[in-house]
Amino acid sequence: MQKVIVLDFGAQYGQLIARRVRDLRVYSEIMPCDTPAAEIAAAEPSAIILSGGPASVYADDAPELDPAIFDMGLPILGFCYGQQIMAKTLGGVVGHTEVGEYGPATIERVAPSRLLDGTPEEQTVWMSHRDAVAKVPEGFTITSSTSVCPVASMECAERNLYATQFHPEVRHSTYGTQMLSNFLFGICGLEPSWSMDNLIDNLVDEVRAKVGDNRVILGLSGGVDSSVVGALLSRAIGKQLTCVFVNHGLLRKNEPEEVEEVFTKQFDVDFVHVHAEERYAKLLAGVTDPEQKRKIIGTQFWEEFFTVAQKLDGVKFLAQGTIYPDIIESGARKTGGKASTIKSHHNLIPFPEGVHFDLIEPLDHFFKDEVRALGTALGLPDHIVWRQPFPGPGLAIRIIGDVTPEKLEILKNADAVVREELDAYNALLFEETGERNSEHSCWQYFAVLPDIRSVGVMGDERTYQRPVIVRAVESTDAMTADWAKLPYDVLGKISSRIVAEVPGVNRVVYDCTPKPPGTVEWE
C-alpha cells in the first residue's frame, strides 16, 4: 500500500499534515522525528514529510532526525522547522532573523518550481517563524521569497527534496492543497487510491488474522468510536464478539434504547445490557465535586464490565474504540519519541487481579471523520455515526452539584429539546450547503442544569424553579471553539419549548463564551 510518513517535530499542525494527505486519498502515518532511517524504511513509505515545530534548530535540546533518511532515495518535503532541519543537516545555514513572520504573508516566485507548479507567481501563505534559512545547501534552488524571508521555499529536484518555510497544510495558505497534490502526484507519482471500501476489507482481514477462533469483548458506550468498532468486529467475527453495554442512567434521552435496537437487530453479536442505574444513583448521591463524580463513574464502569467479562468463557481480547488522536496525544506506544503526554486514559485499564485480556484497537490509526465514514460504510445509522461528542461520565457533569433523579429527568428532557431543534437547524444548513460542518453549523450542543433557582412568572403565579443553560459551539477539532451564532428565532423556539414542555424550568439562558477562556463542557 502507498504510504506517506510524517515525521513529527512537535508541530501544532502535525496531525493536520497527515489529515491533508489522507484527504487527497493517500494513506499517511505519523512517526517521531528521531525514528531511525532503518525503521522508517521497514515501514515501506513512498515519501516522507517533515513537520514544523516550535524549537530552534540550534537549541541544545532541538529535535533531530537521522541524516540517513536523505540517502533513502525517497521524495522528502519539509515545512517550517522541517525546511530548517533539512537545510542544516545538508550543509545549509539557518539564521535568526530580526523580524519574524506570523500569520498571512505574500510569497513571490523567484525560480521555476515543481512544488509550486500551477499556482500564482504571487500568493498568500501562512507563516509562523523567526528563524529562517539564510543559505541553502549545495544543489538547492530558492524558488520563492517574501519581503522578510529570502528563502520561503527551496528545492533540489535532482534529489527530490523540497521544502517551504510556510505551512501549505493549513487552509490559510491559499494554494496549499495544490502544492501537496503536486508533491504527492506530480513528484512522487502516487495514485489517489486509498478508499473506504478497500480499508474495510483490510481491517476485516487484520481482525480475523489476529483474533482467530478466540472471543472478543467490547465495552460499548453507544458513542461513535465504540459503535464503529462493534460494527466492524461484527462483520469480521460475528458471534465471537460480546458487546457489554453498561447503562449508568446518565445517557441522553432514549439513547440506551437506540443502542440496544441497533446492536440486537442490525448486527450479529452477543449483546449484554447491564442495568446499573440504581447502583450508580446510590454511589453518586450527595456528590458535588466533578472529579469525584468522574472517579466514581469510571471505577464503577470497570466493576460492572469485568463482572460480566469474568462470566464469559474463551475471551482473549478486549476491544477498544481508541482512535489516532488518542494515540498521538498520549505520546505513548506507537508514536512515542518527542511527543508530549496529554492523555493516557486509553492505556490504563484496571484489570482485576488474575484477569487480563489482550487489547485490540482496530481504529487506532484513523481520525474522527474517517471513523464516521467507516461507520456509514459499515451500515450504522446516522444518529449514531453523527452523534456528538459526549463525556464518559455523561449527564452527571452537566448537572452542576449533586445528581438526583429529579435533576436527571429535567436535564434529559431539556437536552432533548436542544438537540431536536439544533439537529433540525443543522439539517437545514446541510441541505443548503451540502456540508455537515458548514460555516454556521453547530459542532456540539447540549443543555446544562446549574445548581440554582430563579424567580419567574408562569400564568398568574410566581415560580421559583430551575434555569437551563444552552451551550452550542462551532469547532473542527475541539482544541478551540467559538459559541455558535444561532439565529434569534432558533434560540427563541428552544427557550419556549423548554419552558413549556419541561416541568421545573422557568428560565433559559445561552452561553456565549468561546474556548478559551471557557471550555466546551461546564465541568
Side-chain angles (χ1 to χ4, degrees):
M1 179 175 67
Q2 298 175 144
K3 181 190 302 180
V4 173
I5 295 296
V6 177
L7 292 186
D8 184 11
F9 290 87
Q12 60 177 320
Y13 300 132
Q15 290 187 43
L16 186 56
I17 297 170
R19 280 305 329 281
R20 292 290 177 257
V21 173
R22 293 190 188 188
D23 286 346
L24 293 168
R25 297 183 60 200
V26 175
Y27 183 67
S28 62
E29 286 185 10
I30 299 174
M31 286 185 169
C33 60
D34 55 1
T35 304
E39 188 176 331
I40 296 172
E44 300 183 343
S46 307
I48 296 172
I49 296 179
L50 312 178
S51 84
S56 166
V57 293
Y58 293 117
D60 291 339
D61 59 348
E64 297 283 352
L65 51 65
D66 185 345
I69 72 165
F70 293 110
D71 298 321
M72 292 172 64
L74 292 173
I76 299 176
L77 173 61
F79 301 151
C80 194
Y81 187 95
Q83 169 168 283
Q84 296 167 21
I85 197 68
M86 181 186 291
K88 177 176 177 287
T89 304
L90 297 177
V93 176
V94 177
H96 188 72
T97 59
E98 292 297 323
V99 180
E101 282 182 300
Y102 301 95
T106 300
I107 61 167
E108 182 177 353
R109 188 95 57 86
V110 296
S113 168
R114 294 185 71 188
L115 186 68
L116 305 179
D117 188 42
T119 68
E121 296 293 314
E122 288 191 3
Q123 57 186 283
T124 300
V125 298
W126 191 259
M127 290 281 196
S128 181
H129 73 100
R130 184 170 290 277
D131 289 0
V133 175
K135 179 183 177 183
V136 300
E138 184 177 351
F140 277 75
T141 300
I142 300 171
T143 56
S144 71
S145 62
T146 73
S147 58
V148 171
C149 181
V151 187
S153 61
M154 65 181 194
E155 59 189 62
C156 178
E158 183 180 348
R159 296 181 63 184
N160 259 352
L161 302 179
Y162 304 82
T164 69
Q165 182 56 59
F166 54 88
H167 291 272
E169 72 272 26
V170 305
R171 298 297 189 195
H172 306 291
S173 291
T174 310
Y175 294 92
T177 300
Q178 179 65 50
M179 295 175 203
L180 280 172
S181 295
N182 289 344
F183 178 70
L184 296 173
F185 309 126
I187 293 169
C188 302
L190 304 180
E191 295 290 333
S193 57
W194 191 61
S195 70
M196 197 54 62
D197 290 338
N198 57 39
L199 169 62
I200 291 174
D201 292 339
N202 291 339
L203 288 173
V204 166
D205 290 343
E206 289 173 9
V207 168
R208 287 174 177 165
K210 184 170 184 176
V211 172
D213 295 330
N214 296 292
R215 293 184 61 81
V216 180
I217 190 168
L218 167 68
L220 182 66
S221 70
V224 179
D225 303 332
S226 68
S227 296
V228 172
V229 170
L232 176 65
L233 295 185
S234 170
R235 178 172 296 193
I237 59 174
K239 288 288 190 180
Q240 289 172 250
L241 172 67
T242 297
C243 294
V244 179
F245 176 60
V246 178
N247 185 354
H248 48 33
L250 303 168
L251 293 174
R252 292 167 285 201
K253 188 174 182 178
N254 298 328
E255 279 190 343
E257 295 80 7
E258 291 171 356
V259 173
E260 181 166 1
E261 181 176 4
V262 168
F263 283 93
T264 56
K265 295 184 179 178
Q266 190 171 339
F267 294 99
D268 185 30
V269 299
D270 285 340
F271 182 86
V272 179
H273 189 154
V274 180
H275 285 281
E277 299 97 315
E278 291 186 7
R279 292 188 288 278
Y280 274 96
K282 290 178 181 177
L283 289 168
L284 290 169
V287 177
T288 60
D289 179 73
E291 288 308 311
Q292 192 177 354
K293 291 178 188 176
R294 285 186 172 90
K295 185 175 180 180
I296 289 169
I297 292 166
T299 300
Q300 185 64 21
F301 168 81
W302 289 114
E303 290 224 4
E304 301 284 349
F305 180 82
F306 283 119
T307 296
V308 175
Q310 289 172 268
K311 295 177 182 177
L312 302 175
D313 294 326
V315 176
K316 181 179 179 181
F317 294 97
L318 169 61
Q320 290 209 117
T322 306
I323 65 174
Y324 206 18
D326 295 331
I327 295 290
I328 296 167
E329 290 173 358
S330 71
R333 298 179 296 166
K334 296 176 184 165
T335 53
K338 299 289 184 181
S340 299
T341 298
I342 300 171
K343 297 180 185 175
S344 58
H345 61 276
H346 61 278
N347 203 26
L348 299 174
I349 299 170
F351 289 109
E353 186 175 351
V355 176
H356 181 79
F357 301 119
D358 293 337
L359 284 182
I360 181 167
E361 299 171 306
L363 307 181
D364 65 354
H365 271 68
F366 301 100
F367 293 98
K368 192 72 170 191
D369 59 336
E370 294 169 334
V371 173
R372 293 188 195 276
L374 183 60
T376 296
L378 287 165
L380 280 169
D382 279 356
H383 67 78
I384 287 183
V385 169
W386 292 100
R387 184 157 281 167
Q388 298 175 48
F390 189 62
L395 298 178
I397 58 168
R398 291 179 181 172
I399 294 174
I400 314 302
D402 64 332
V403 179
T404 67
E406 177 210 8
K407 292 179 182 178
L408 262 175
E409 185 69 13
I410 289 173
L411 185 56
K412 284 183 179 183
N413 289 325
D415 182 75
V417 171
V418 173
R419 289 187 292 116
E420 285 172 15
E421 291 300 329
L422 292 186
D423 283 350
Y425 172 69
N426 271 352
L428 184 61
L429 290 177
F430 178 60
E431 285 183 13
E432 294 174 352
T433 65
E435 299 178 18
R436 287 195 180 271
N437 292 307
S438 60
E439 183 180 358
H440 298 293
S441 61
C442 299
W443 180 74
Q444 190 175 359
Y445 36 96
F446 53 88
V448 176
L449 189 68
D451 195 23
I452 58 174
R453 295 178 185 270
S454 65
V455 176
V457 177
M458 301 179 76
D460 295 324
E461 296 182 358
R462 177 181 180 275
T463 62
Y464 192 57
Q465 296 179 333
R466 299 187 182 278
V468 162
I469 298 161
V470 175
R471 180 71 162 146
V473 298
E474 301 167 358
S475 181
T476 57
D477 56 12
M479 301 300 292
T480 61
D482 196 9
W483 61 282
K485 313 304 188 294
L486 298 175
Y488 290 153
D489 61 334
V490 173
L491 287 173
K493 188 172 183 182
I494 291 171
S495 177
S496 296
R497 281 195 59 193
I498 290 175
V499 172
E501 298 174 21
V502 182
V505 177
N506 65 356
R507 189 183 298 267
V508 176
V509 299
Y510 188 51
D511 180 355
C512 57
T513 312
K515 174 188 178 181
T519 56
V520 176
E521 297 287 346
W522 271 55
E523 288 192 341

